[in-house]
Amino acid sequence: MYRRNWFVVSQTDGDDVQRGPIPSWDRETALKALHVEELPFESPNGNTQGYASGHAIAINPVATMPDKTTFHELAHVVLGHTESATMNDGDTLPRSLKEAEAESVALICLESLSLPGAEYCRRYIQNWLSGAEIPERSAQRIFKAADSILKAGRQGDNK
């Protein structure tokens, strides 16, 4: 929905914002290894930082923390949150746990690569958990997904 005084990024002029490289981790290598496609960001909601669907992610070109958002959205794909089928361990997870899992993966990735944003991850996780604890099965899934994402983007022969 467009309003008279709203505009989307595609309606602006200028060069695309370029992200700096992450030492020892390559975004494009990770996307390719994880079989994840990056789509153009098409949400009219400027507050949306990114989204994931199927095996694809889209990151707002003016996202406040694009690396954090990339890890979060990749986590949704790797964790299977974007699949239409139910997960192996029974009923589908509630949205609050899916968001806490994805942000926990982002936290581990950011901390592992010494990138900024961990303090925001912690608040986001606490907000979605609302005082609840992360189940052990979710913790296992979080560590496995973070490991997969980090390994997928490693540069050089040390994969």
Side-chain angles (χ1 to χ4, degrees), residues 78-99:
V78 172
L79 289 164
H81 296 166
T82 58
E83 297 296 321
S84 59
T86 51
M87 297 179 343
N88 295 338
D89 46 350
D91 295 334
T92 58
L93 296 175
R95 180 168 183 223
S96 58
L97 190 53
K98 287 180 181 181
E99 291 298 328

Side-chain angles (χ1 to χ4, degrees), residues 23-26 29 112-113 149-156 158-159:
S24 76
W25 192 84
D26 184 67
T29 301
S112 296
L113 297 169
I149 291 169
L150 290 170
K151 283 182 179 176
R154 291 281 182 213
Q155 295 178 357
N158 300 334
K159 289 187 180 182

Side-chain angles (χ1 to χ4, degrees), residues 10-71:
S10 63
Q11 293 173 315
T12 62
D13 290 329
D15 296 331
D16 289 339
V17 176
Q18 300 298 315
R19 293 183 209 147
I22 298 172
S24 76
W25 192 84
D26 184 67
R27 187 174 190 281
E28 298 305 317
T29 301
L31 290 172
K32 185 176 179 181
L34 294 169
H35 307 289
V36 175
E37 179 184 5
E38 184 166 15
L39 302 174
F41 184 81
E42 294 183 347
S43 174
N45 182 348
N47 293 324
T48 300
Q49 300 293 296
Y51 50 87
S53 178
H55 285 290
I57 63 171
I59 308 300
N60 188 331
V62 293
T64 306
M65 304 191 95
D67 295 329
K68 179 179 120 27
T69 304
T70 297
F71 290 128

Side-chain angles (χ1 to χ4, degrees), residues 96 99-108 118-132 134 142:
S96 58
E99 291 298 328
E101 283 185 352
E103 196 69 2
S104 295
V105 171
L107 172 65
I108 293 168
E119 65 278 9
Y120 298 104
C121 291
R122 289 184 186 97
R123 286 186 219 137
Y124 190 90
I125 294 165
Q126 289 172 350
N127 179 59
W128 278 104
L129 287 176
S130 300
I134 293 178
I142 289 164

